C-alpha cells in the first residue's frame, strides 16, 4: 500500500478534480504490475496497472491480489468502472486503502466486488491514503475547498515595506517551490493591493503542471485591465460588490456586502468545483482567512537573513509550526489548523 501511495503522487498536479490513485498487482509476493492515474480524463490507476503486466505474466492476473489506494470506481464517468475491469480479469482479492467519499462511488465499488465473490480488505494505511487526497476528501465530505495560506516574511516578521516598492523576500529556491505548490492547487487567490503593487501572473511557469484558476478579491473593481491577471490566458475570477458578468476567461462574481466575504468566496469556489485554494496574500486578506478560521494549512517562508525594521507586520496563524525545512537563506514553516490545546 505504501508503494501505491508513492505511485499515486506521480499524478500530482495533473489529475484534479479526480483523486490521486496508485495500484499494485502482486502474485505470490512478486509485483507483476504497477500503475497510477496519470491525467484527468485518462485511464485510472487500475487500468494502467493491468496494462503494465508483461505478456508472460498475464495468466497470473486471476490468481493475484490487487492493492489500490482508493476504492475502485463503480460508475461510468470519463472512463468505465474499474470495479467491472477487476471482475472481468477474475482477480481474486483486492486490498483497498480507503473508501471513496464521492457520492457516485462511496461503498458501491466495494459492494460490487464482494457481490462478484472477490475478497475485499479495506482500511490498510487508511489515514495515509486520506492524507494523500485531503483536498478531494474535504471537498466531498465538508462541501468546501481545501484552503492553504502562504506568505513570505522577513526575519523580523514583516510581509512588506512601508513604500509601494515591491519587497523581494524569498530566494530563488523557495520561489520555485511556490510554483510547484501552485501546480498542486485548483485555484490561487490574492487581494486588490497585491494585484496592484506586484502585478503577478499567478502562473506556475517555474514548474511543470497545470496553472491554477486565478482569483482576486477586488471589491470595488479598482484594478486596471492592463494587469497580467486580465491577459485572458488563464481563467480569472474577480470577486466584487458591483457586477455578475462573464467574458472570455474573465468571470466577475458578485458577492454581498452584508455577508462574510471569506465564507462567500469559500462557498462560491465549492459551487465552481474548485477543490483547493492557495491564498497568496496580501496581509489583510490572509488575516481575514485566519480570523474567520477558514483555512487548513499555512506555509510561511521566512528569510532568516533579511530585516527591514519598519514595514507591514505579517499575520500570525496563532499556533506553533508542525515542521520546518531549510532552503539556503529561507526557512519554511508548516502549520495546520487544528484546535489549540
Amino acid at each position: 500500500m505504501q508503494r501505491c501511495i508513492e505511485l499515486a503522487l506521480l499524478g500530482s498536479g495533473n489529475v484534479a478534480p479526480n483523486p490521486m490513485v496508485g495500484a499494485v498487482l502482486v502474485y505470490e509476493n512478486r509485483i507483476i504490475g504497477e500503475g497510477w492515474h496519470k491525467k484527468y480524463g485518462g485511464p485510472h490507476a487500475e487500468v494502467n496497472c493491468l496494462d503494465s503486466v508483461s505478456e508472460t505474466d498475464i495468466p497470473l492476473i486471476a490468481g493475484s491480489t490487487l492493492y489500490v489506494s482508493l476504492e475502485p470506481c463503480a460508475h461510468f464517468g470519463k472512463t468505465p468502472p474499474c470495479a467491472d475491469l477487476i471482475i472481468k480479469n477474475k482477480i481474486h482479492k483486492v486490498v483497498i486503502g480507503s473508501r471513496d467519499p464521492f457520492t457516485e462511488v462511496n461503498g458501491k465499488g466495494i459492494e460490487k466486488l464482494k457481490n462478484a465473490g472477490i475478497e475485499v480488505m479495506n482500511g490498510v494505511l487508511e489515514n495515509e491514503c486520506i492524507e494523500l487526497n485531503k483536498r478531494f476528501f474535504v471537498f466531498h465530505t465538508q462541501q468546501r475547498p481545501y484552503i492553504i495560506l502562504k506568505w513570505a516574511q522577513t526575519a523580523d516578521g514583516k510581509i512588506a515595506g512601508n513604500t509601494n516598492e515591491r519587497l523581494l523576500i524569498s530566494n530563488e529556491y523557495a520561489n520555485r517551490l511556490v510554483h510547484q505548490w501552485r501546480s498542486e492547487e485548483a485555484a490561487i487567490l490574492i487581494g486588490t493591493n497585491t494585484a496592484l503593487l506586484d502585478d503577478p501572473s499567478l502562473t506556475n511557469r517555474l514548474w511543470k503542471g497545470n496553472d491554477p484558476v486565478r482569483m482576486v478579491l477586488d471589491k470595488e473593481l479598482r484594478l486596471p485591465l492592463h494587469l497580467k491577471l486580465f491577459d485572458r490566458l488563464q481563467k480569472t475570477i474577480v470577486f466584487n460588490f458591483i457586477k455578475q458578468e462573464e467574458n472570455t476567461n474573465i468571470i466577475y462574481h458578485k458577492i454581498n456586502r452584508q455577508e462574510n466575504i471569506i465564507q462567500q468566496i469559500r462557498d462560491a469556489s465549492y459551487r465552481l468545483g474548485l477543490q483547493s485554494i492557495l491564498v497568496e496574500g496580501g496581509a489583510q486578506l490572509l488575516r481575514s482567512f485566519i480570523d474567520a478560521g477558514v483555512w487548513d494549512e499555512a506555509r510561511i517562508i521566512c528569510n532568516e537573513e533579511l530585516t527591514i525594521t519598519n514595514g507591514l507586520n505579517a499575520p500570525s496563524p496563532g499556533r506553533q509550526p508542525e515542521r520546518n525545512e531549510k532552503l539556503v537563506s529561507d526557512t519554511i514553516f508548516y502549520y495546520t489548523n487544528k484546535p489549540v490545546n
Side-chain angles (χ1 to χ4, degrees):
M1 191 58 68
Q2 183 59 50
R3 179 58 180 162
C4 288
I5 294 172
E6 292 171 1
L7 290 166
L9 283 167
L10 296 175
S12 178
N14 294 308
V15 302
N18 283 355
M20 294 177 284
V21 183
V24 175
L25 190 66
V26 178
Y27 179 80
E28 294 185 353
N29 294 321
R30 180 170 68 89
I31 292 176
I32 63 171
E34 292 187 336
W36 68 94
H37 186 28
K38 297 180 179 180
K39 189 173 180 61
Y40 177 68
H44 287 186
E46 297 92 330
V47 177
N48 289 329
C49 178
L50 288 169
D51 284 348
S52 75
V53 176
S54 68
E55 191 171 340
T56 55
D57 285 338
I58 287 176
L60 306 179
I61 291 176
S64 298
T65 298
L66 178 68
Y67 294 80
V68 60
S69 56
L70 190 70
E71 177 183 4
C73 61
H75 69 296
F76 282 88
K78 294 282 184 182
T79 60
C82 290
D84 289 354
L85 179 68
I86 293 168
I87 294 167
K88 178 182 176 182
N89 280 273
K90 300 180 180 179
I91 295 170
H92 80 287
K93 182 176 180 180
V94 178
V95 179
I96 298 168
S98 65
R99 279 174 64 141
D100 189 329
F102 182 45
T103 307
E104 294 293 326
V105 181
N106 197 352
K108 297 182 179 69
I110 293 172
E111 182 181 10
K112 181 175 277 193
L113 294 175
K114 286 182 175 180
N115 288 342
I118 295 171
E119 181 185 352
V120 178
M121 180 184 295
N122 185 35
V124 176
L125 293 186
E126 184 173 24
N127 291 337
E128 291 86 343
C129 290
I130 292 173
E131 174 67 17
L132 167 71
N133 285 303
K134 54 194 174 187
R135 300 159 182 82
F136 182 79
F137 273 81
V138 165
F139 187 83
H140 287 288
T141 61
Q142 300 184 34
Q143 289 73 53
R144 66 172 181 84
Y146 190 89
I147 296 173
I148 301 170
L149 311 180
K150 168 263 166 184
W151 68 88
Q153 65 185 43
T154 62
D156 54 347
K158 307 299 181 185
I159 197 171
N162 283 333
T163 68
N164 286 337
E165 186 176 340
R166 186 180 184 187
L167 177 65
L168 300 175
I169 297 176
S170 52
N171 63 39
E172 61 181 305
Y173 303 102
N175 289 340
R176 187 174 292 270
L177 178 60
V178 168
H179 282 234
Q180 179 185 346
W181 292 346
R182 289 177 179 179
S183 75
E184 295 168 351
E185 310 311 330
I188 183 169
L189 172 67
I190 60 172
T192 307
N193 290 336
T194 300
L196 279 172
L197 297 176
D198 296 350
D199 190 17
S201 299
L202 298 185
T203 62
N204 53 302
R205 58 196 174 278
L206 301 179
W207 196 261
K208 63 184 185 300
N210 299 321
D211 290 324
V213 172
R214 302 180 294 198
M215 303 197 299
V216 59
L217 176 60
D218 183 17
K219 291 182 275 192
E220 305 297 341
L221 295 181
R222 293 166 44 208
L223 296 176
L225 294 180
H226 64 71
L227 294 179
K228 294 171 186 172
L229 278 176
F230 302 114
D231 59 16
R232 302 181 188 272
L233 297 177
Q234 174 69 0
K235 183 184 291 185
T236 299
I237 301 171
V238 184
F239 293 102
N240 70 95
F241 293 150
I242 311 298
K243 66 179 180 179
Q244 181 82 25
E245 183 178 297
E246 184 168 347
N247 299 314
T248 306
N249 262 356
I250 300 178
I251 299 171
Y252 291 92
H253 189 95
K254 189 176 180 180
I255 55 177
N256 193 323
R257 292 177 186 270
Q258 310 304 321
E259 298 178 12
N260 185 286
I261 292 172
I262 301 306
Q263 291 178 2
Q264 288 184 79
I265 292 173
R266 177 198 63 188
D267 295 345
S269 299
Y270 172 75
R271 291 193 298 271
L272 291 166
L274 300 171
Q275 287 187 7
S276 61
I277 304 171
L278 180 64
V279 184
E280 285 210 13
Q284 183 177 344
L285 183 62
L286 289 161
R287 285 195 188 95
S288 296
F289 273 89
I290 293 170
D291 292 344
V294 180
W295 62 285
D296 296 284
E297 293 182 33
R299 302 170 183 175
I300 304 174
I301 303 169
C302 181
N303 186 331
E304 307 282 9
E305 299 176 359
L306 175 64
T307 58
I308 61 171
T309 308
N310 295 315
L312 182 62
N313 289 329
S316 169
R319 61 204 66 232
Q320 294 299 312
E322 294 197 346
R323 64 184 180 92
N324 64 76
E325 63 177 317
K326 187 78 172 174
L327 282 177
V328 193
S329 59
D330 294 347
T331 301
I332 305 174
F333 297 93
Y334 294 88
Y335 301 77
T336 57
N337 188 16
K338 295 178 180 177
V340 178
N341 294 325

